[in-house]
Amino acid sequence: MSSQIRENLQKLFVLGISYKKSALDVRGKFSLTAEQQESLLNEAKENQIDGLVVLSTCNRTEIYAHTSESDFVVDLFLKYCEGNRDDFNSNGYTLFGNECINHLYKVTSGLDSQIIGDFQIVGQVKNAVHLSSEMGLENPFLNRLFSFAFQASKKIKNSTDISKGAASVSHAAVQYIKDKVSTLESCNFLLYGTGDIGKDTCGNLVKHMSNRSLTLINRTVEKAETLAKKFNIKYQTLDKLSEEVAKSEVIIVATGASKPTLLLENLEGNKSCKLILDLSVPRNVDSQIDKLDNVLVITVDELSKHISGAIEQRKECIPMAEEIIKASIGEFYSWLEVKYLSPVIVALKENLHKVQKKELEYHKNKLSEDELKKVEHITNNIVNKIARACINHLKDHHKQQSTPMETLEMIFKDMDS
């Protein structure tokens, strides 16, 4: 591996916090809203950083960076989230170079998801990369790395059964409702929040309901209206939240906000039994609601434990997925090698053509026009053959330790082929 590549890998790192080491309440402190993500990216750009991607989901908040200023990036993260340094040191992680690359591939392929094979993460990572690109923070190194990771993710999804079976947060929510609610057909449902997870949950829930007793509420009423029309169900404006809560036996909260959106006051005077599923991180259901005797609140972490059969089937696909990842990482490293050899290749071609031009200039007065054209054609072929042989050697054999004579033999062997 060349010194340039080693230097670039040393600048690559990911820092973050995820479900693997952190409980829901801790992850909530480190989650970043869309506004916080943009502010963080802006400040990074103002400080001359050109490679930074911020990912914040239910299960993880991560920053992928390509810069030598790792301490500054940690400070930036802690500035914009609500977590502190002690919590991060206890629960977070920072991975550099090869470890960072392996981690990214596992994240984008669903191998590192709380629910194995949940490919919703791919869209979330793509959105994060798109935001960085729009803000001028996706440098060429990160651009190619994420491109390779996305290609591997697509291949894993298409070549294995790792995403088959009902196993995602939205599927888990609906499965939990089916298992726990015996009066499914007569229940009134309220879905609060119609973002990506809310949409998926809505679609999955409607499949299992014949009476369509589902009402949607969203901060932006137009989004709720559009989704309601698609599934032929009801929607309401945000000011009717408490009223709809009172009517509903099952409430699903998928608002994805930075603080609770379903408050104790929304259940004021409630005496009926209610099941509330909070699909957001940080929690969007006020923790005070947990204390109500007639209310059961289920969080994302609890839902993830509810899936078993589909997960076991998916685990069988992990070895094949890891082989695809290994091959793709190898291709990425090969691309890096060629990328950093490009200036050498260009310089080689330019210098060979300079020699050819100088020699032709020296001999042109001794040759007729036809002879000069023939000589130019022959020397051009020789230059191209030498260049091609040297380039092939640089691409294919530059990692090998060889003597000068062995190097010459390999180059001229390429010329003979």
Side-chain angles (χ1 to χ4, degrees):
M1 187 179 289
S2 69
S3 58
Q4 281 181 306
I5 292 175
R6 280 195 297 271
E7 182 182 332
N8 269 277
L9 288 177
Q10 286 168 2
K11 290 167 63 178
L12 175 69
F13 65 92
V14 58
L15 63 90
I17 195 160
S18 81
Y19 74 94
K20 285 193 169 181
K21 287 182 67 177
S22 310
L24 186 63
D25 58 336
V26 177
R27 296 204 304 275
K29 293 178 185 177
F30 289 92
S31 67
L32 296 167
T33 64
E35 292 78 12
Q36 288 170 330
Q37 291 174 48
E38 286 194 28
S39 298
L40 190 157
L41 289 168
N42 270 321
E43 188 166 342
K45 189 173 182 179
E46 288 169 2
N47 283 273
Q48 313 307 314
I49 290 175
D50 68 351
L52 202 77
V53 173
V54 181
L55 174 68
S56 191
T57 73
C58 291
N59 293 325
R60 71 185 70 245
T61 299
E62 295 182 335
I63 298 178
Y64 293 86
H66 186 239
T67 173
S68 55
E69 303 295 329
S70 58
D71 290 340
F72 173 73
V73 176
V74 174
D75 292 341
L76 208 55
F77 178 38
L78 295 175
K79 175 180 177 179
Y80 286 99
C81 71
E82 294 180 6
N84 59 49
R85 192 174 294 276
D86 287 341
D87 280 342
F88 179 73
N89 290 340
S90 300
N91 298 280
Y93 47 85
T94 306
L95 305 172
F96 286 86
N98 298 330
E99 287 187 332
C100 173
I101 292 173
N102 277 286
H103 178 76
L104 172 63
Y105 269 83
K106 286 184 177 180
V107 168
T108 55
S109 64
L111 294 187
D112 200 63
S113 295
Q114 191 167 20
I115 299 172
I116 293 171
D118 186 355
F119 275 85
Q120 190 173 52
I121 186 67
V122 182
Q124 293 166 331
V125 177
K126 284 183 176 179
N127 289 339
V129 172
H130 179 70
L131 177 61
S132 290
S133 180
E134 281 191 329
M135 297 180 70
L137 281 157
E138 186 197 14
N139 65 16
F141 186 95
L142 286 185
N143 174 273
R144 294 302 296 171
L145 175 58
F146 277 95
S147 294
F148 272 94
F150 291 145
Q151 288 167 18
S153 172
K154 185 177 181 180
K155 187 171 182 180
I156 289 168
K157 186 176 183 180
N158 294 336
S159 305
T160 74
D161 292 335
I162 202 163
S163 63
K164 288 193 176 178
S168 67
V169 172
S170 58
H171 277 108
V174 175
Q175 189 61 50
Y176 187 91
I177 292 168
K178 285 174 65 183
D179 291 347
K180 302 296 181 182
V181 180
S182 57
T183 55
L184 189 67
E185 292 303 325
S186 60
C187 266
N188 291 313
F189 294 84
L190 172 63
L191 175 58
Y192 182 20
T194 57
D196 289 340
I197 291 176
K199 287 177 185 176
D200 287 346
T201 306
C202 181
N204 289 323
L205 195 55
V206 167
K207 287 178 188 176
H208 301 283
M209 294 166 51
S210 58
N211 63 352
R212 305 275 164 162
S213 56
L214 172 62
T215 300
L216 307 180
I217 290 182
N218 194 64
R219 186 179 63 177
T220 308
V221 68
E222 290 80 10
K223 290 184 178 180
E225 181 182 10
T226 301
L227 191 60
K229 286 180 178 178
K230 178 181 178 181
F231 292 109
N232 191 27
I233 54 180
K234 296 176 290 183
Y235 72 95
Q236 279 291 0
T237 53
L238 187 57
D239 61 311
K240 295 289 198 311
L241 178 60
S242 294
E243 186 179 324
E244 291 301 324
V245 166
K247 293 178 185 176
S248 305
E249 287 84 23
V250 178
I251 301 160
I252 303 166
V253 181
T255 41
S258 59
K259 57 185 179 180
T261 54
L262 186 67
L263 308 175
L264 188 60
E265 64 192 55
N266 297 129
L267 284 92
E268 191 174 351
N270 173 69
K271 294 181 180 179
S272 61
C273 293
K274 296 189 186 298
L275 171 63
I276 301 177
L277 287 79
D278 189 349
L279 309 187
S280 303
V281 177
R283 280 188 54 161
N284 281 190
V285 175
D286 190 339
S287 59
Q288 294 299 312
I289 294 174
D290 297 15
K291 300 175 183 178
L292 297 177
D293 292 335
N294 54 351
V295 175
L296 175 62
V297 178
I298 301 297
T299 65
V300 169
D301 286 358
E302 292 171 89
L303 282 174
S304 298
K305 299 171 187 174
H306 194 66
I307 303 167
S308 55
I311 293 299
E312 290 307 312
Q313 289 178 351
R314 291 180 177 198
K315 284 181 179 177
E316 294 175 5
C317 302
I318 290 176
M320 187 184 298
E322 288 176 337
E323 285 300 315
I324 292 171
I325 287 172
K326 183 179 178 182
S328 180
I329 291 176
E331 290 171 6
F332 173 68
Y333 284 142
S334 295
W335 173 82
L336 278 180
E337 296 284 1
V338 172
K339 171 183 167 59
Y340 293 113
L341 285 173
S342 292
V344 178
I345 292 169
V346 170
L348 172 66
K349 285 182 176 180
E350 286 178 351
N351 280 293
L352 285 171
H353 282 292
K354 279 181 185 176
V355 172
Q356 178 198 20
K357 187 176 179 181
K358 185 177 179 181
E359 288 300 312
L360 288 172
E361 189 68 26
Y362 179 79
H363 291 288
K364 71 176 183 180
N365 293 328
K366 305 173 186 177
L367 303 169
S368 67
E369 190 174 335
D370 284 344
E371 287 173 331
L372 186 61
K373 284 181 179 180
K374 288 178 183 178
V375 171
E376 186 175 2
H377 177 72
I378 292 168
T379 55
N380 202 48
N381 284 342
I382 293 170
V383 164
N384 287 335
K385 275 197 169 187
I386 295 171
R388 190 158 50 245
C390 292
I391 290 166
N392 287 339
H393 174 74
L394 285 170
K395 286 182 178 179
D396 299 334
H397 305 294
H398 66 282
K399 299 177 193 174
Q400 300 177 9
Q401 296 292 327
S402 55
T403 64
M405 185 57 70
E406 286 171 337
T407 299
L408 278 174
E409 286 175 356
M410 282 187 281
I411 290 173
F412 282 97
K413 183 180 178 182
D414 287 336
M415 286 180 64
D416 291 336
S417 59

